Amino acid sequence: MVTKQKILIVDDDVNIAELIDLYLTKECFQTMMVHDGEEALKVFETFQPNLILLDLMLPGIDGYQVCREIRAKSNTPIIMLSAKGEIFDKVLGLELGADDYMIKPFDSKELVARVKAVLRRYQPAKPEVLEVKAKIVEYPELIINQTNYSVLYRGKPVDMPPKELELLYFLASSPNQVFTREQLLDHIWGYEYIGDTRTVDVHIKRLREKIKDHASWGLATVWGIGYKFEVR
């Protein structure tokens, strides 16, 4: 069950408050109405709204003071409502921490749209999901998956130690490109094996024993240089 977002409506004009309540209830918000600043501060603690619609001209504690006191302890979004349209009033309201400012009379659709827009800005950030691109190379009757370290040859899995699979994947990822033994050593095994080119030859030999050349591809030796994954 989806929890409804809660809107606290603070307006001393009962008719306007009830009209706003009607608009928001239709949009599936949970609402509460209060009609003075002191009551708004009390209800804020118990109701814990997701957003406050706050009229400025309230009896007793005015909307500006309500905004100040709420901002001192909470970042709950506030949209100020006022019949005052002067720039000074808007700027003051925004400087006190209001998130938006609407001038009465306002259109019901615009009010709802602004409420939703402000709430969207305050939605908790979703955890970033990093898309991991699968490292897969496919050829006829051969699938090399370095993401899960698996090889399918002619539809059957082939047991292969990690370095063999990494060597095969590296060559197959760059078809027809020739790599020297030193380049393959550096990329697959790192600096520790530099100079021991026999390591590459042994691993190529093992790969050829497990995976026979296909009519359209194969592991080719480039004499005097190194190896390549040849695509015909």
Side-chain angles (χ1 to χ4, degrees), residues 139-141 153-154 212-218 230-232:
Y139 290 98
E141 298 189 318
Y153 174 56
R154 294 182 176 174
K212 307 300 181 182
D213 284 358
H214 191 273
S216 59
W217 54 262
E230 185 175 52
V231 177
R232 305 178 183 95

Side-chain angles (χ1 to χ4, degrees), residues 146-204:
Q146 193 174 308
T147 302
N148 64 10
Y149 276 77
S150 65
V151 175
L152 279 178
Y153 174 56
R154 294 182 176 174
K156 296 181 180 179
V158 179
D159 289 332
M160 201 171 284
K163 291 302 179 188
E164 282 183 26
L165 187 146
E166 289 169 16
L167 177 60
L168 179 61
Y169 178 86
F170 181 70
L171 289 167
S173 297
S174 302
N176 295 323
Q177 183 174 340
V178 180
F179 295 95
T180 67
R181 291 172 175 82
E182 287 76 13
Q183 286 175 321
L184 294 172
L185 276 170
D186 185 44
H187 185 85
I188 306 300
W189 286 270
Y191 67 90
E192 293 178 11
Y193 284 82
I194 294 299
D196 188 7
T197 57
R198 291 172 300 173
T199 302
V200 176
D201 297 334
V202 170
H203 279 72
I204 291 291

